């Protein structure tokens, strides 16, 4: 997992703060990680919380891709089956220089920031629903900040993150494009 405050940089080492804001919410993350070569991503930092407000941290690991259907079960590691949340933090690197749309499918709330811009803000109880962002211009080979927050209220739990562009059919963002 690699992070940076230097937009579009691919040099190493990288450290600093990532600040994302939108919808009345501002989050700042302190990071110190080395950069990975483009196409060698290992996923996103995943913080699992035992409440829906991202307040009671239970476990941290690397996830990639974000493509989960836990049903009525727990994500594991002591995380409850209901009333939990996850924050995925890192970088995303597109293969093409063009406009991308991002899509989330979640059963309950979701927020998604890309390049420090809030693209999807559906922080509400809902059955499995898909949300597609407005297009955002990205440059091939550059790494962009990405933060996805998700909460599960009760019953079914799922979280998926995909993207599409003129040259990239819609697909779950593969692990090797996540840092």
């Amino acid at each position: 997992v690699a992070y940076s405050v230097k937009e579009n940089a691919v040099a190493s080492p990288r450290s600093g703060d990532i600040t994302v804001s939108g919808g009345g919410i501002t989050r700042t993350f302190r990071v110190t990680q080395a950069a990975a070569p483009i196409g060698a991503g290992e996923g996103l930092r995943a913080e699992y919380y035992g409440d829906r407000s991202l307040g009671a941290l239970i476990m941290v690991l690397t996830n990639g891709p974000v493509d989960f259907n836990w049903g009525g079960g727990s994500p594991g590691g002591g995380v409850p089956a209901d009333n939990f949340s996850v924050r995925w933090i890192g970088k995303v690197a597109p293969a093409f220089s063009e406009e991308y749309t991002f899509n989330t499918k979640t059963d309950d709330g979701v927020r998604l920031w890309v390049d420090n811009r809030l693209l999807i803000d559906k922080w509400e109880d809902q059955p499995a629903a898909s949300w597609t962002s407005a297009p955002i211009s990205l440059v091939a080979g550059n790494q962009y900040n990405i933060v996805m927050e998700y909460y599960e209220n009760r019953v079914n739990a799922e979280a998926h993150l995909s993207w599409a562009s003129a040259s990239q059919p819609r697909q779950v963002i593969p692990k090797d494009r996540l840092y």
Side-chain angles (χ1 to χ4, degrees):
V1 182
Y3 312 102
S4 174
V5 293
K6 295 180 181 177
E7 294 309 306
N8 305 329
V10 293
S12 161
R14 297 195 245 176
S15 64
D17 292 341
I18 294 175
T19 300
V20 294
S21 62
I25 300 155
T26 299
R27 301 256 195 266
T28 300
F29 308 99
R30 169 72 59 181
V31 294
T32 54
Q33 297 285 335
I38 298 298
E42 296 182 358
L44 300 173
R45 174 185 168 98
E47 302 171 345
Y48 287 79
Y49 296 83
D51 61 8
R52 67 186 266 176
S53 63
L54 300 145
L57 183 63
I58 293 178
M59 72 175 171
V60 177
L61 41 102
T62 300
N63 286 156
V66 178
D67 191 24
F68 299 96
N69 188 341
W70 297 287
S74 162
V79 176
D82 290 321
N83 196 33
F84 71 88
S85 55
V86 185
R87 177 183 293 130
W88 290 279
I89 308 165
K91 295 282 191 178
V92 62
F96 306 99
S97 295
E98 53 198 19
E99 289 189 332
Y100 279 76
T101 57
F102 288 80
N103 180 273
T104 61
K105 180 180 178 189
T106 59
D107 183 326
D108 290 306
V110 64
R111 290 188 284 244
L112 176 69
W113 292 266
V114 176
D115 197 25
N116 302 327
R117 290 183 257 176
L118 183 63
L119 299 182
I120 297 174
D121 187 7
K122 297 296 180 182
W123 202 250
E124 59 197 48
D125 292 352
Q126 59 192 348
S130 292
W131 304 101
T132 300
S133 74
I136 181 173
S137 292
L138 303 177
V139 176
N142 290 344
Q143 294 182 6
Y144 296 87
N145 296 332
I146 187 165
V147 176
M148 180 173 163
E149 294 180 338
Y150 160 76
Y151 83 83
E152 160 57 9
N153 184 21
R154 60 186 179 87
V155 187
N156 293 319
E158 64 180 284
H160 310 274
L161 176 60
S162 59
W163 63 357
S165 72
S167 303
Q168 171 66 63
R170 186 166 140 186
Q171 68 175 38
V172 170
I173 302 173
K175 178 173 96 169
D176 65 355
R177 292 286 168 182
L178 299 171
Y179 302 83

